[in-house]
Amino acid sequence: MGAPIRSRLLDFAEPEDPSGTDLAQRTPQSLRSALQDLAEAAPPPRAATDGRPGPRPGVPAYHTPVCVPAHPRSVAGTGTDGRPARVPFIVLELFQHPAHGTVAFAFTSPARLVEALGESQPWVAASLGPLAEGVREQGVTVLLDPRVTPGEPSWRTDDLAAFAREVRR
């Protein structure tokens, strides 16, 4: 394997550039998740041996890899040594949909996520089935590759830089 895949958010969490170039003004390189390479190279799923039916036509397989809008958060807590510590976790971003109420978006490729939500949108990789089951308990529906009305993106490069500065405190 090559270099590890990193979220673009980490580009803003690293120390300031010694050349004095503002992080928000840097030109990001276009990265491709290795998850997509693995998904494309995987053999087709075998028929279930336990008699369960497979997915209906047009319905993605349960373990289909998807890109889900999400971002890191942390709360104050106590470490194992009893000292104050930050406890990190990931928050899925939810959206309001006129017909479906609260929804989670899932995209079948990073390019589709960027096309819909902009290049600065943080995301995590997940499996479609476990994602749908997890959010269904909260009354949330997953929309796969939704069409999003063009407009102001939720995350801009400046937002990521500000978020990274806040995390470093």
Side-chain angles (χ1 to χ4, degrees):
M1 278 177 99
I5 302 301
R6 298 180 337 139
S7 165
R8 282 200 57 227
L9 182 62
L10 294 179
D11 294 341
F12 299 98
E14 294 176 350
E16 296 293 326
D17 185 351
S19 69
T21 306
D22 183 19
L23 289 173
Q25 294 175 353
R26 286 190 200 167
T27 305
Q29 295 178 356
S30 177
L31 300 177
R32 176 176 160 80
S33 170
L35 179 63
Q36 292 298 318
D37 296 332
L38 294 173
E40 291 167 2
R46 292 180 288 171
T49 57
D50 59 4
R52 291 184 295 166
R56 296 185 314 267
V59 176
Y62 185 85
H63 290 293
T64 298
V66 291
C67 304
V68 183
H71 59 272
R73 285 280 185 228
S74 64
V75 295
T78 305
T80 56
D81 58 359
R83 289 196 267 166
R86 299 297 297 174
V87 179
F89 59 97
I90 300 293
V91 176
L92 295 180
E93 294 185 14
L94 303 178
F95 302 86
Q96 282 303 117
H97 188 276
H100 300 290
T102 304
V103 298
F105 291 164
F107 297 89
T108 54
S109 73
R112 288 188 176 182
L113 180 137
V114 167
E115 181 182 322
L117 301 176
E119 68 178 7
S120 296
Q121 174 65 53
W123 57 275
V124 295
S127 289
L128 184 59
L131 170 68
E133 287 180 1
V135 298
R136 181 179 18 196
E137 296 170 1
Q138 306 302 317
V140 175
T141 302
V142 175
L143 296 182
L144 186 62
D145 289 330
R147 291 187 177 176
V148 178
T149 304
E152 188 68 26
S154 297
W155 289 83
R156 295 180 306 274
T157 303
D158 293 342
D159 299 327
L160 290 176
F163 183 77
R165 282 191 300 274
E166 183 65 29
V167 169
R168 279 186 270 191
R169 290 183 189 193

